[in-house]
Amino acid sequence: MNDISAAPKPILEIDPRLLEALVCPVTRRPLTYDKAAQELVSPTAGLAFPVRSGVPIMLVDQARKFEPQKN
C-alpha cells in the first residue's frame, strides 16, 4: 500500500498581489516568499510562516523561528 504522506508536496505559487498586501504580524514589514520551503519569511523578526495548500498561516505560534537578520 502506498503512503500518501511520503509523496512530495506540489510547489505552489503565491499571488503577487497577496504577497504585496501581507506583512509580518510582529514587525509590520514586508515578507518574502520562499517557494521551495513554502514559507513567508520575515527576516527581521526571524520568523517563517507556513503556506499550506496555498493559504498563508500568519500565526506566530505556527511560525518557524530562526536567527533574525541584523540591520
Side-chain angles (χ1 to χ4, degrees):
M1 187 169 207
N2 292 341
D3 183 8
I4 295 174
S5 64
K9 295 181 196 175
I11 295 178
L12 301 173
E13 293 288 336
I14 292 284
D15 184 328
R17 292 173 293 174
L18 176 61
L19 187 55
E20 286 178 17
L22 290 174
V23 295
C24 174
V26 175
T27 65
R28 300 288 183 219
R29 299 194 65 185
L31 300 162
T32 58
Y33 180 51
D34 183 339
K35 185 175 170 180
Q38 294 287 287
E39 295 176 326
L40 290 171
V41 179
S42 175
T44 307
L47 296 170
F49 300 92
V51 177
R52 298 186 185 129
S53 301
V55 178
I57 310 299
M58 303 302 295
L59 302 171
V60 174
D61 65 341
Q62 295 290 309
R64 177 179 62 81
K65 294 176 175 75
F66 62 90
E67 189 64 34
Q69 290 180 353
K70 307 280 189 230
N71 286 353

